[in-house]
Amino acid sequence: MAEIINGKEIAAQVRAGIKEETERLIQAGLQPGLAVVIVGEDSASQVYVRNKIKACAEVGFYSENYALPEQTTEKELLELIARLNQDPKIHGILVQLPLPSHLDENKVILAIDPKKDVDAFHTENVGKIMLGNYEFLPCTPAGVMKLLEYSGIEVAGKDCVVVGRSNIVGKPQAMLLMQANGTVQICHSRTRDLAKKTAAADILVVAIGKAKFITGDMIKEGAVVIDVGMDRDENGKLCGDVDFDSCFEKASYITPVPGGVGPMTITMLLQNTLIAAKSKMKDK
Ligand code: NAP
């Protein structure tokens, strides 16, 4: 039976550290500031944005929330970003994705000053991650690495399998595991004989967006199973990409959904904003 990795508890520990550092920074005359921009009415995105603003307040950050109407033009959005890039109160800018289809996401991300790109989606930051020489890490994969670290799970030398190759999770996750000296295989929808690959993993990270897809017979006895998925099961209940019950019996460690990777994502956003503010302090 597996040990459950409690993401809520680990997130609370990391956030307590961020709060302490923030207090020290404020005393030294600098309050970390995050601007969150949302365009349109997507209800899931609105929940994420509310949670981000609330998390900022809890650790003592300054925050600004821009809820723009669906019909906002690209020019208007780019002008707002340009203004936030120049604003000394703002150290991190987050544009909630997805954007409405008339807005070019790539163009918008590239407009953010890379030093304020706390999602780490700008090509400059993506490139730095590739080189292993970065300020910011993308929040979800960085959160997974923190969960492993806080659970005392050594990555070096382990066979790691990442299922999913998205730009925001799978690809950077594989890179971070490799940088931690894991031996990494990346699987995706065109992978042949997926179960054979997942069953060879000491550490398995799953980010595919398919409810309960990875079952106990697809994992190795004693594997560490990290479930990034946020899906709905047949009853509409929140669940992950991993079938928790069957994998729980076989794994050594497993993350639940909810309460595993999810709470770490916002925590790493706070961490990135703190890093951005601290680097401004150094520039002074
Ligand atoms: P995505 O952009 O849709 O990418 C899904 C990936 O899974 C793709 O690379 C796809 O392969 C692969 N895939 C799909 N079906 C597969 C299959 N049957 N076998 C093997 N691979 C398969 O998704 P994402 O943005 O990375 O998100 C993945 C999941 O994580 C979602 O449930 C999302 O809600 C969740 N998520 C959670 C957090 C969090 O904070 N907890 C953050 C981000 C995302 P191809 O490339 O070949 O199409």
Side-chain angles (χ1 to χ4, degrees):
M1 262 185 345
E3 191 168 313
I4 295 177
I5 298 177
N6 188 335
K8 254 176 129 169
E9 211 171 275
I10 296 172
Q13 284 177 42
V14 178
R15 286 186 202 196
I18 294 172
K19 192 170 178 197
E20 264 179 47
E21 267 201 71
T22 302
E23 278 160 14
R24 279 199 295 275
L25 267 187
I26 291 174
Q27 274 170 15
L30 185 79
Q31 185 178 26
L34 177 72
V36 182
V37 181
I38 178 171
V39 187
E41 309 293 324
D42 184 276
S43 57
S45 291
Q46 285 181 345
V47 174
Y48 296 146
V49 164
R50 264 203 304 279
N51 289 342
K52 286 167 187 173
I53 301 287
K54 188 165 155 255
C56 279
E58 280 167 9
V59 294
F61 287 3
Y62 169 74
S63 69
E64 290 181 4
N65 182 17
Y66 294 88
L68 307 180
E70 182 86 24
Q71 62 275 19
T72 300
T73 64
E74 200 164 89
K75 184 165 174 279
E76 286 166 334
L77 182 56
L78 293 175
E79 277 169 6
L80 171 63
I81 292 172
R83 188 159 64 69
L84 294 170
N85 281 341
Q86 297 302 322
D87 188 337
K89 296 191 300 304
I90 298 299
H91 305 99
I93 301 169
L94 182 142
V95 178
Q96 185 66 43
L97 302 179
L99 289 172
S101 57
H102 67 282
L103 300 171
D104 180 345
E105 274 184 12
N106 206 28
K107 202 164 167 189
V108 171
I109 290 169
L110 288 179
I112 299 172
D113 177 349
K115 291 194 165 60
K116 296 191 176 188
D117 168 41
V118 284
D119 256 338
F121 291 164
H122 192 291
T123 47
E124 185 173 318
N125 289 321
V126 175
K128 285 182 172 177
I129 293 159
M130 183 85 175
L131 298 173
N133 159 34
Y134 44 76
E135 287 91 34
F136 306 129
L137 288 174
C139 300
T140 302
V144 168
M145 298 309 286
K146 266 281 187 262
L147 288 179
L148 295 173
E149 180 195 323
Y150 271 65
S151 307
I153 297 163
E154 181 66 66
V155 177
K158 299 274 173 64
D159 290 329
C160 305
V161 174
V162 179
V163 191
R165 57 173 167 180
S166 70
N167 289 335
I168 62 165
V169 190
K171 274 187 213 165
Q173 187 67 71
M175 197 59 63
L176 297 189
L177 288 164
M178 185 183 69
Q179 281 165 6
N181 296 317
T183 302
V184 185
Q185 185 167 39
I186 306 172
C187 299
H188 45 78
S189 67
R190 305 288 290 272
T191 296
R192 268 191 249 158
D193 209 352
L194 179 69
K196 193 170 161 201
K197 270 97 180 169
T198 55
D202 300 314
I203 299 175
L204 177 65
V205 181
V206 190
I208 57 178
K210 293 215 152 67
K212 303 185 184 181
F213 186 83
I214 301 288
T215 45
D217 55 324
M218 295 171 76
I219 68 165
K220 187 186 201 170
E221 191 77 47
V224 174
V225 180
I226 308 288
D227 188 355
V228 179
M230 286 213 295
D231 313 307
R232 297 273 163 196
D233 69 10
E234 57 284 3
N235 304 313
K237 209 173 136 220
L238 188 63
C239 71
D241 291 341
V242 170
D243 178 45
F244 185 86
D245 294 341
S246 61
C247 291
F248 175 71
E249 295 302 323
K250 246 175 130 180
S252 57
Y253 290 88
I254 190 166
T255 57
V257 178
V261 175
M264 295 305 292
T265 297
I266 295 185
T267 305
M268 300 321 289
L269 170 72
L270 299 174
Q271 174 96 54
N272 281 346
T273 307
L274 183 68
I275 290 169
K278 278 170 38 182
S279 84
K280 236 342 164 255
M281 195 81 174
K282 269 193 246 139
D283 292 348
K284 270 189 176 176

